[in-house]
Amino acid sequence: MDLGLKNRVYVVTGGTRGLGHAVARELVADGARVVVTGRDGKRAAEAAAELGPHAAGVGVDNADPHAPHQLIALARELYGGFDGILVSVGGPPAGGVAATTDAQWAAAFESVFLGAVRLARAAAAELPAGGVIGLVLSGTAHEPAPGMALSNGLRPGLAGFAKSLADELGPRGIRVVGVLPGRIATDRMRDLDGLAPDPYARRTANEAAIPLRRYGTPEEFGRAGAFLLSPAASYVSGVMVSVDGGARRGF
């Protein structure tokens, strides 16, 4: 299938590693141009170099109010257009409700929630018909996960925001989608499993609860994300798409 990505221009935040990088890699492989971001400018440049000549890296923080317009302007300057954005950010720290401080809530809200809202809002003002806004969320948008109070609190709100935005932008021909990873074998997932006394036993138990009986790979998530951002998914909007091996039991 031709996804129609050739020469289309995307901004991918959190694109230096993990899930954001996996999507950026698939976009570039199919002919798109991407601007990838991360908090560390050096790492962003290295990640872009890994992706090849049709990628550029810039160090910005999603929580920075100036980041959205800076990134869109850079995409236009480098590649002559702007067709979509994938808002991805490193997951907030693990922890239960009682152990999570006000400072942690405030920091996570700025980065995970308000940063995403600003980026999506700025993209909505700049995108042409056929543009797309994607948000990397989490399975916690549907079901809370033990020991993940910050994610449980913020991800459902972003899913609701995405649905509202899809309703508002649909008449202009702009799509909004959420991509909900389950247990994908990234560094973050290894870190979360590593919090258990026996990380191997934790992973084994987690895999047993997944119908496909394994963690997903970043490449599998990347292909799903690239498809949803592509013109090939032109009639997919306002949905939260789980990429979780069947782990979510709800319809």
Side-chain angles (χ1 to χ4, degrees):
M1 181 188 295
D2 179 4
L3 298 182
L5 286 167
K6 187 174 181 180
N7 295 326
R8 289 178 69 85
V9 180
Y10 295 90
V11 170
V12 179
T13 75
T16 62
R17 57 184 292 187
L19 302 178
H21 189 70
V23 175
R25 186 167 55 242
E26 298 300 328
L27 291 172
V28 170
D30 235 50
R33 276 63 172 148
V34 300
V35 174
V36 296
T37 81
R39 290 189 180 95
D40 185 328
K42 182 175 182 291
R43 177 58 193 140
E46 292 171 348
E50 292 169 10
L51 294 172
H54 298 312
V58 59
V60 300
D61 188 333
N62 280 17
D64 182 354
H66 302 291
H69 296 291
Q70 175 189 350
L71 294 173
I72 294 168
L74 182 62
R76 292 192 188 281
E77 176 186 342
L78 293 176
Y79 302 121
F82 173 58
D83 298 294
I85 187 169
L86 180 71
V87 182
S88 180
V89 62
V97 173
T100 303
T101 67
D102 285 1
Q104 288 175 312
W105 275 108
F109 178 79
E110 285 287 335
S111 179
V112 174
F113 192 95
L114 189 54
V117 169
R118 289 194 190 107
L119 285 158
R121 194 169 53 204
E126 298 281 348
L127 284 169
V132 59
I133 298 168
L135 300 170
V136 177
L137 302 177
S138 164
T140 57
H142 289 301
E143 299 172 349
M148 298 297 294
L150 290 169
S151 186
N152 294 341
L154 298 175
R155 301 296 194 187
L158 277 174
F161 165 76
K163 184 63 176 175
S164 296
L165 192 62
D167 290 345
E168 293 182 19
L169 298 183
R172 290 173 46 198
I174 298 170
R175 299 184 298 114
V176 182
V177 294
V179 197
L180 279 55
R183 295 191 181 276
I184 309 295
T186 61
D187 290 343
R188 172 169 168 78
M189 189 55 59
R190 284 187 284 273
D191 289 344
L192 290 174
D193 285 346
L195 297 175
D198 185 339
Y200 177 78
R202 168 67 63 83
R203 174 161 179 164
T204 300
N206 288 339
E207 288 180 325
I210 300 170
L212 290 183
R213 295 297 189 269
R214 63 179 178 84
Y215 283 9
T217 67
E219 292 78 14
E220 289 173 313
F221 182 86
R223 289 193 291 269
F227 167 73
L228 290 168
L229 292 174
S230 78
S234 57
Y235 204 56
V236 179
S237 188
V239 294
M240 304 296 113
V241 179
S242 296
V243 184
D244 65 0
R248 181 171 179 253
R249 295 316 198 267
F251 292 107

